[in-house]
């Protein structure tokens, strides 16, 4: 893929604020610029960003309906009612269910969990789930990471005498369900100061309010923040504001004393013995939790996350690891088939979106395939399969484009849909697929900008190799955890040369191990360029080229840095 490089530059006011941070906080000028570009432009904001405090979490009772939710939960526990903790089958939903169940079960025993079957019930609250609750004597359901659109299902539950507390973070419709309480920072009438919480984050706020109301030590809740960190990383929510506090402290828990289930996954992934990051969650831990819901059933993931006995947890984690291997095989096969379908589109060159449909594809992997198509073709993508006689699928977006609104514009064609800016789910009658594809493309074509259809690498600053040392790396490391709205900083250095020892490495000879020198300072730097072996021939000609990169610690030489090359561009 050809990338367009875009160097960020502060305006005059931004540079002045960065200079003021340099003077007041003694920061490196590049560090100060990185802060200002993230909207952090005062000494107090900088200190809070680098040292997130749990005391700075917002009062949970600022969330609409929180007082009603806590009151209903207290009443249920006092009367001995049976409570069902119900959640979506993805990582966010499973971690949310595990967090709420584990916290409440410390103080109450008449409680159960429920995760709908992806294939039989689909996303969100199902009639089957409500019937299960009724048959098992449940009178209160706490639903997590879904429910905001379940108007009919919750009305049905009310007829059966079952109340709902909704903890969701997806976009609501104008008409909301008749639940006892709706906790959602994206409510149109929301007064909550932060609206980017994950589903697990909203469940955490309910437990925080419950603890405050009942005089429970908050430290009992902080122990479960590793689950919040996992949900925040995998649900691709901004790592700023309240999410940064939860993720920062959640990673500390994950590294110091993770829950038994997460420890088992860490051991199965061979991640022990080093500092875990959000990237480890995204690429190792999260996919395994997700694999349960994709291949077998999300209930298995929840059972693992609430298990207290390590030997049992390890057995469960090993099983989920096998599901993940099956998921990877399906992912590879379906992605190849989807790419082939895209290649056969007669109007591909003109299209600004992708919609592909194959009724035989596995429902559990279509979201991953949609992400793969978006990455490869850099266009909003929808992947559809057939389930229960309906076309059902997932949409994924490119940076800056709201795919939820694109799906919403086709609402009259859809049986069900939900999601947020970068990801959405939908179902429709199979005979409407062609018209959906046409209408979706029409909306995208009208609303997407030229810039959003280009693969852009946003570069934070240009550096000479002499600027790159271990002290600078540690200063940049304080920005972690990285994620949306707080991406790992990308730097560029122009006119660098092969020092003479760069070579192609990897089982498939797909990577380049680099030793480079810049023409300005004559400083030598080591680096690794994953998947870029096609550039090796040019590099070995000793001609100049530009690089953009992240700065990482050399895994083989502690205390030394290396460059993780993002892109290589021959000098013209």
């Amino acid at each position: 893929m050809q990338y367009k490089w875009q160097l960020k530059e502060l305006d005059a006011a931004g540079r002045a604020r960065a200079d003021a941070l340099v003077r007041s906080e003694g920061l490196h000028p590049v560090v100060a610029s990185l802060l200002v570009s993230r909207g952090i432009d005062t000494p107090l904001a900088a200190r809070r960003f680098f040292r997130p405090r749990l005391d700075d979490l917002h009062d949970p009772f600022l969330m609409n309906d929180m007082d009603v939710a806590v009151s209903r939960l207290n009443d249920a526990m006092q009367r001995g009612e049976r409570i069902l903790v119900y959640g979506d089958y993805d990582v966010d939903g499973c971690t949310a269910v595990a967090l709420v169940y584990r916290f409440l079960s410390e103080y109450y025993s008449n409680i159960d969990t429920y995760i709908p079957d992806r294939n039989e019930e689909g996303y969100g609250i199902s009639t089957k789930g409500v019937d299960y609750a009724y048959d098992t004597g449940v009178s209160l359901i706490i639903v997590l990471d879904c429910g905001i659109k379940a108007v009919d299902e919750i009305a049905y539950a009310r007829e059966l005498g079952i109340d709902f507390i909704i903890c969701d973070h997806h976009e609501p419709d104008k008409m909301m369900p008749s639940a006892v309480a709706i906790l959602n920072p994206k409510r149109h009438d929301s007064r909550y100061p932060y609206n980017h919480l994950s589903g697990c984050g909203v469940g955490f706020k309910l437990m925080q309010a419950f603890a405050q109301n009942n005089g429970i030590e908050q430290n009992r809740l902080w122990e479960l923040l590793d689950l919040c960190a996992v949900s925040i990383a995998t649900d691709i929510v901004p790592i700023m504001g309240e999410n940064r506090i939860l993720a920062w402290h959640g990673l500390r828990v994950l590294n110091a004393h993770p829950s038994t289930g997460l420890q088992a996954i860490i051991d199965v992934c061979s991640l022990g013995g080093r500092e875990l990051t959000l990237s480890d969650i995204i690429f190792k831990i999260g996919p395994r939790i997700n694999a349960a819901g994709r291949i077998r059933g999300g209930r298995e993931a929840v059972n693992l996350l609430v298990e207290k006995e390590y030997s049992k947890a390890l057995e469960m984690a090993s099983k989920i690891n096998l599901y993940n291997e099956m998921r990877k095989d399906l992912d590879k096969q379906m992605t190849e088939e989807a790419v082939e379908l895209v290649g056969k589109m007669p109007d591909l060159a003109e299209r600004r979106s992708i919609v592909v449909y194959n009724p035989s594809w596995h429902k559990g992997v279509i979201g991953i395939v949609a992400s793969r198509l978006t990455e490869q073709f850099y266009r909003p993508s929808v992947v559809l399969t057939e389930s229960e006689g309906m076309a059902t699928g997932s949409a994924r977006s490119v940076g800056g484009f709201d795919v939820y609104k694109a799906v919403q514009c086709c609402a009259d064609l859809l049986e069900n849909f939900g999601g947020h800016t970068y990801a959405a789910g939908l179902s429709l009658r199979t005979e409407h697929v062609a018209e959906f594809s046409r209408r979706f493309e029409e909306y995208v074509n009208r609303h997407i900008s030229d810039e959003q259809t280009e693969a852009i690498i946003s570069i934070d600053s240009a550096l000479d190799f002499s600027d790159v040392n271990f002290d600078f790396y540690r200063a940049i490391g304080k920005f972690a955890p990285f994620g949306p709205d707080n991406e790992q900083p990308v730097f560029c250095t122009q006119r660098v040369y092969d020092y003479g020892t760069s070579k192609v490495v990897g089982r498939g000879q797909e990577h380049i191990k680099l030793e480079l020198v810049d023409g300005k300072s004559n400083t030598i730097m080591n680096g690794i360029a994953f998947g870029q072996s096609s550039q090796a021939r040019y590099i070995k000609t000793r001609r100049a080229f530009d690089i953009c990169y992240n700065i990482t610690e050399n895994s083989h030489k502690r205390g030394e840095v290396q460059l993780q090359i993002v892109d290589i561009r021959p000098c013209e």
Side-chain angles (χ1 to χ4, degrees), residues 458-499:
S458 189
I459 297 169
D460 291 280
S461 182
L463 300 175
D464 296 330
F465 281 173
S466 58
D467 298 321
V468 182
N469 53 45
F470 199 72
D471 286 340
F472 183 70
Y473 160 74
R474 285 195 297 186
I476 296 302
K478 291 179 181 178
F479 282 81
F482 300 114
D485 290 358
N486 182 40
E487 303 284 354
Q488 186 173 4
V490 177
F491 304 103
C492 72
T493 301
Q494 296 178 315
R495 303 196 67 80
V496 304
Y497 302 85
D498 175 27
Y499 190 63

Side-chain angles (χ1 to χ4, degrees), residues 172-331:
D173 288 335
K174 289 181 181 177
M175 184 179 188
M176 293 199 293
S178 55
V180 168
I182 298 176
L183 309 178
N184 187 335
K186 289 192 175 77
R187 281 177 57 156
H188 304 305
D189 60 347
S190 175
R191 61 179 185 269
Y192 193 70
Y194 188 74
N195 67 348
H196 297 297
L197 291 169
S198 65
C200 184
V202 179
F204 170 85
K205 298 305 293 188
L206 173 59
M207 293 300 94
Q208 186 186 11
F210 173 79
Q212 285 182 17
N213 183 259
N214 288 279
I216 299 169
E217 283 289 331
Q218 297 283 306
N219 288 343
R220 304 293 298 274
L221 186 56
W222 302 157
E223 294 169 5
L224 300 175
L225 282 174
D226 52 353
L227 293 166
C228 270
V230 172
S231 85
I232 288 167
T234 54
D235 218 52
I236 321 296
V237 290
I239 312 294
M240 295 291 281
E242 201 162 32
N243 279 343
R244 177 173 173 81
I245 299 172
L246 295 172
W248 195 89
H249 286 277
L251 279 172
R252 295 185 73 181
V253 175
L254 190 67
N255 280 289
H257 43 85
S259 63
T260 305
L262 287 175
Q263 181 65 65
I265 299 174
I266 290 166
D267 293 341
V268 163
C269 296
S270 302
L271 289 174
R274 65 182 181 81
E275 189 81 4
L276 298 177
T277 66
L278 290 193
S279 289
D280 294 314
I281 296 172
I282 293 168
F283 295 110
K284 298 287 186 180
I285 297 171
R288 284 163 171 81
I289 297 173
N290 248 337
R294 296 185 189 282
I295 303 300
R296 187 60 59 88
R299 185 66 176 266
E300 292 193 30
V302 170
N303 289 342
L304 168 60
L305 294 174
V306 302
E307 179 57 54
K308 295 180 179 179
E309 189 178 319
Y310 179 75
S311 60
K312 289 182 181 178
L314 190 60
E315 186 178 334
M316 294 177 187
S318 299
K319 191 183 294 186
I320 281 175
N321 195 49
L322 290 176
Y323 298 157
N324 191 52
E325 293 302 313
M326 294 166 63
R327 187 274 307 168
K328 286 194 282 189
D329 291 340
L330 281 170
D331 171 9

Side-chain angles (χ1 to χ4, degrees), residues 47-211:
R47 290 181 207 127
R48 286 184 170 175
F49 179 80
F50 286 136
R51 293 182 289 279
R53 302 187 314 157
L54 290 166
D55 287 346
D56 289 331
L57 290 171
H58 300 305
D59 180 354
F61 285 99
L62 293 175
M63 196 173 289
N64 300 50
D65 285 358
M66 185 63 80
D67 53 345
V68 180
V70 172
S71 176
R72 180 65 183 90
L73 180 56
N74 284 337
D75 287 346
M77 294 171 76
Q78 287 164 9
R79 292 196 290 252
E81 295 178 46
R82 187 154 181 78
I83 299 170
L84 185 67
V85 185
Y86 187 121
D88 187 25
Y89 40 65
D90 69 0
V91 180
D92 193 15
C94 289
T95 53
V97 168
L99 185 148
V100 171
Y101 176 81
R102 283 176 55 188
F103 191 69
L104 288 181
S105 60
E106 290 290 318
Y107 309 99
Y108 191 69
S109 60
N110 195 8
I111 186 169
D112 193 8
T113 64
Y114 190 90
I115 303 290
D117 183 274
R118 182 190 292 263
N119 295 311
E120 290 185 11
E121 299 168 74
Y123 170 79
I125 300 167
S126 68
T127 302
K128 181 180 177 181
V130 174
D131 288 341
Y132 171 86
Y134 180 74
D135 291 342
T136 55
V138 168
S139 55
L140 175 63
I141 297 177
I142 301 171
V143 60
L144 298 137
D145 193 34
C146 57
I148 197 65
K149 289 175 175 284
V151 175
D152 293 340
E153 292 81 2
I154 290 178
Y156 170 61
R158 288 198 68 173
E159 291 175 5
L160 300 177
I162 301 171
D163 287 339
F164 268 84
I165 295 171
I166 296 174
C167 301
D168 204 351
H169 69 133
H170 295 99
E171 293 287 345
D173 288 335
K174 289 181 181 177
M175 184 179 188
M176 293 199 293
S178 55
V180 168
I182 298 176
L183 309 178
N184 187 335
K186 289 192 175 77
R187 281 177 57 156
H188 304 305
D189 60 347
S190 175
R191 61 179 185 269
Y192 193 70
Y194 188 74
N195 67 348
H196 297 297
L197 291 169
S198 65
C200 184
V202 179
F204 170 85
K205 298 305 293 188
L206 173 59
M207 293 300 94
Q208 186 186 11
F210 173 79

